[in-house]
Amino acid sequence: MGTKIILRLLIVAILWLGLGILKGVGKFNETLVAPAVLLTLIMVVGVVLEHLLHYQGDPFLLPTVQAIVTVGLVFLVRIRSDLAWRQFWWASLGLAVFYLLLWGIRDYRRLGRFQYLWGLAALILLVVTLIFGFASHGATSWIRVGPFTVEPEELVKVALLLFLASYLSEHEELLRVGTVQWGRLSLPDFRTLGPFLLMAAVSLGLLAAQKSLGTALVFYSLFVLLLYAVTNRLLYLGVAVPVFLATGWVGYLLFGHVQVRVAAWLNPWKDIAHGGYQIAQSLFAISGGGILGTGLGNGIGAFQVPEASTDFIFAVIAEELGFAGAMAVLCLFLIVVFRAFAVSMKTVDRFGQILTAGIGILIGTEALVILTGVTKLLPLTGLPLPWVSYGGSSMLVHFMLLGFLANVSHNSTVSTQLTSREREYAT
Amino acid sequence: MMQGLRRVALGLAFSFLILGLGLVYWQVWRAEALQNHPANRRLILLEDRVKRGGIFDRNGEILAQTQVTGGKKTRVYPKGEAFEPMVGYATLQHGSAGLEGALGDWLLGVKDATFTQQLQQVFNLPRQGNDAVLTIDARIQLAASAALKGKQGAAVAIDPRNGDVLALVSEPGFNPDGLDQNWKTISTQAGSPFRNHAFSLFPPGSTMKVVTSLALFRAGINTTELYDCEGSTIVRGQAIHEQNDKAHGWVNYNLALADSCNTYFATYAEKAGTDKFLAAAKAFGFGQSIPLELSVPQSSLTKTEALPAKLDATLLPASAFGQGEVMVSPFHMALIAAGIANQGVIMQPHVVERVLGEDGKPVYTSPVEPWLTAMSKDEAAKITSGMITAVNEGTASPGALPDAQVAAKTGSAEPGGDVPTHAWYIAFAPAEAPRIAVAVLVENGGTGGGAAAPIARQMIQSALSRK
């Protein structure tokens, strides 16, 4: 209880200290006080509820994510104080969704029963986006629902993870051992691997058609890494990596927008006014931060870097908090990923194991894909940084994933405690 | 499952590590290089919080200053147009250029920031940048600017003893006050006022002969030998003409330089050979980047290569008197004059004398050091003697002064096409102990003696009238 409270106090302190500094430099908008107070209240009520309802799951998952969310909110206020109130609402709603999933799902294993329903849902969402979606920043990833614009590919992540977890837990043995002998290799037969390949091909194809390259890359990594993690067979990696490189090469040859991206990646300075503009401005901001940063509210990236509130928010963080702050944010993400893996390893049932491992892999690859893009380690493919970038769909979906994670963690701890207690009685 | 997941975890951790190293690369390793990238607007945007330091001439005359009235900062340029585009500008809308741009990090107090400045930076407090004191002498600058007014060209004055740039004029200039409003008019104006003509490349014409002279000396050509100039000759199948085909008669080296005899230099350069010519050009700094706070383009001998390893022999005769494909900036021409004046040693040029911190103490002082040793003392004396003859009885006589011996060389360079020649004049004075070296270029101004020499004379007069 003590650690829990200290962690939450720290997070609340980060939030209000950040907002206080922003007020000092005149970048705080008074209308943000109410949503910030609401979020603080939800965090405080949450920790009390966790205590009262005997939450037994991983104690660091939620605080770490809350720290990430808080940093993101402070920077969103700094970058776009006019939009920040929405993000406060999304974060509050996200926390509510988290607690709802944590305590609302009695037995998460039942989610695994609708294997093909999840798969179908994922594909339908993608098709709907492709048909009714509108393009923004080069990708057709948004649809309009009433007053909101929704990014369905975020929701697809949930459906896809549930599909993968139930499918892989069912076919794990066959995928690992294989039933067809091909030379010295034993491969799984097509009836086992078919649904997986079909799902992968169709979803990636649909994403490519939407020009949503970042999400496609994340999904591909998720399919491959999860399959590898479950089966521990290097064969799958050995096939997946060349296939990826070949697809990338063909995509480069066929599509103009891919060539533009790659050219901007290889030498952003050459065409600094157009193709290389985003990445050059991002690097100017990041490098301007130095080791300790320019200080909150002090950088130029916030208005100089395009998409500073979404894809490039990390450049602004790295500028104003410096290398120290940027590394801290990286570490927070790494902690979330590793806690997810820890939950997976402690869980007894296959479905829970694979689901939580998948969530960890998804969050890890999402962070890596956008952050390597922003820092020019890899070509840039637009993607929101989970919990940080502006956007309701991403915020809610990632809190949903965190909810599943906490639920599995809580239930597996409780059940292991029960079984050990039962054993005690038996002796 | 466990083992596969462990490996994935390891892989992800490794990827995050690479990402961290990427941050080190950008935020520590490449940080300074990116801060100085011309497309980086950080310095300009810092403007908001910093009172930009002033720019002063060597005698403390204000060239640029930020005035704060009622919390509103305005950059004023009391001397106006005569100092543009050298001083340059810094506006939020159009970025920065000239010294305002090149010295931006000093003026904003972010380069080698003092402890106080660093603290103020971290806490976002208003702060004061550093002041820059230039080596420019406003009186020479104004004299040159007034003399060049209405024409198009450049005038540069350098103290040959230490490399101090005393004047750096480019016409047309522009009015730096209220630049944002007048931007469009100025940028479309004829003669490109934003471009510093002293840093643009032009064919040097006969001023090049001082460089060719060195090649002749090095080839061991007897400078007392007489040559019969008939007004035109043929070298390597090319017809070489004197200006207006005027025959100079029997000339030795001194008279050839004084009368600017093209056939003499073409003929003897052919004898000296391309290697000697290339070596002489290299000694004077062709094909080398010129160290200055502002960026100066390299002077070049051919269109494709600034300093080729081998020169096409057919290019040599015309190159010997500064035609062909030879291109030089007026600033470099002033350095060449300064090198001859300083007994063969070209001092490293600088336009900033020192940078002063908030307390008025220097935080940076320009070093006085040689840039190139172009030639020996004797070789410099021989060229000087020819340049003196040029002033006393040759083409450079319009630059003569009654009370000081001037050494000079004219040039009338054909820019190609049916337009008047570019008028060049390089000079230094007093010839026995030079204190000023100048290069003047009047674009399409006619002959060097007619158009450029009077401007150089006024600059030299202005410099020598004091002390």
Side-chain angles (χ1 to χ4, degrees), chain A residues 25 225 228-229 232 269 272 283-288 290-291 294 298 300 303-304 318-319 322-323 326-327 330 334 337-338 341 344-345 350 353 357 361 368 371-372 375-377, chain B residues 1-13 15-16 18-24 26-28 30-31 34-35 37-42 45-46 49 120-124:
Chain A
V25 291
L225 290 177
Y228 172 70
N232 192 25
W269 320 113
I272 202 159
L283 294 178
F284 285 154
I286 292 173
S287 68
I291 294 170
T294 58
N298 225 348
I300 61 158
F303 46 92
Q304 206 50 35
E319 181 188 24
F323 173 67
M327 271 319 271
L330 287 191
L334 200 57
V337 173
F338 271 55
F341 290 166
S344 167
M345 290 178 186
R350 276 280 176 254
Q353 276 180 357
I361 292 172
L368 280 172
L371 297 186
T372 49
T375 51
K376 199 178 103 68
L377 295 177
Chain B
M1 163 99 202
M2 285 286 191
Q3 211 187 350
L5 191 55
R6 281 222 173 86
R7 291 205 180 129
V8 169
L10 251 153
L12 285 178
S15 308
F16 271 90
I18 299 284
L19 193 52
L21 291 178
L23 286 176
V24 173
W26 292 118
Q27 301 196 289
V28 183
R30 288 292 304 279
L34 281 191
Q35 289 328 291
H37 195 284
N40 195 341
R41 284 164 54 81
R42 165 172 306 272
L45 293 163
L46 278 177
R49 312 187 189 115
Q120 288 166 333
Q121 201 173 340
V122 168
F123 291 102
N124 204 4

Side-chain angles (χ1 to χ4, degrees), chain A residues 180-386:
Chain A
V180 182
Q181 207 64 25
W182 193 66
R184 291 184 56 202
L185 293 171
S186 76
L187 302 172
D189 62 87
F190 188 72
R191 274 184 53 190
T192 314
L193 203 56
F196 181 82
L197 288 179
L198 190 75
M199 193 65 203
V202 174
S203 60
L204 292 177
L206 286 169
L207 283 170
Q210 294 170 17
K211 296 188 183 174
S212 206
L213 297 179
T215 311
L217 182 58
V218 164
F219 281 13
Y220 189 77
S221 316
L222 177 67
F223 280 119
V224 173
L225 290 177
L226 198 55
L227 185 61
Y228 172 70
V230 171
T231 60
N232 192 25
R233 285 194 74 182
L234 271 176
L235 170 74
Y236 293 120
L237 280 188
V239 173
V241 174
V243 165
F244 171 73
L245 293 177
T247 318
W249 180 245
V250 171
Y252 176 79
L253 293 180
L254 287 183
F255 300 111
H257 62 277
V258 179
Q259 284 164 15
V260 170
R261 292 275 178 92
V262 173
W265 172 57
L266 288 175
N267 192 356
W269 320 113
K270 202 172 138 202
D271 186 18
I272 202 159
H274 306 101
Y277 186 76
Q278 280 190 325
I279 186 73
Q281 293 304 327
S282 166
L283 294 178
F284 285 154
I286 292 173
S287 68
I291 294 170
L292 290 177
T294 58
L296 185 57
N298 225 348
I300 61 158
F303 46 92
Q304 206 50 35
V305 180
E307 311 297 326
S309 58
T310 53
D311 291 0
F312 281 95
I313 194 161
F314 185 75
V316 181
I317 296 178
E319 181 188 24
E320 306 202 343
L321 300 184
F323 173 67
M327 271 319 271
V329 172
L330 287 191
C331 289
L332 288 175
F333 274 102
L334 200 57
I335 291 173
V336 174
V337 173
F338 271 55
R339 296 312 296 186
F341 290 166
V343 169
S344 167
M345 290 178 186
K346 277 186 208 144
T347 304
V348 187
D349 74 291
R350 276 280 176 254
F351 175 73
Q353 276 180 357
I354 299 174
L355 180 64
T356 48
I359 292 172
I361 292 172
L362 179 75
I363 292 167
T365 47
E366 278 178 310
L368 280 172
V369 166
I370 183 61
L371 297 186
T372 49
V374 168
T375 51
K376 199 178 103 68
L377 295 177
L378 289 179
L380 183 74
T381 46
L383 202 67
L385 183 60

Side-chain angles (χ1 to χ4, degrees), chain B residues 148 152-158 165 167-171 195-205 207 284 286 290 292 295-300 327-338 349 422-427 437-443 452 459:
Chain B
L148 201 57
Q152 198 171 307
V156 181
I158 293 175
V165 178
L168 185 53
V169 175
S170 169
E171 279 294 330
R195 179 164 65 95
N196 195 324
H197 293 233
F199 302 144
S200 303
L201 295 173
F202 302 92
T207 53
F284 273 104
F286 277 78
I290 295 169
L292 186 76
S295 105
V296 190
Q298 288 185 3
S299 300
S300 58
M327 296 293 265
V328 187
S329 65
F331 187 81
H332 186 196
M333 222 55 234
L335 280 177
I336 289 172
H422 290 328
W424 279 97
Y425 198 78
I426 60 170
V438 302
V440 175
L441 166 73
V442 182
E443 290 163 45
M459 292 167 76

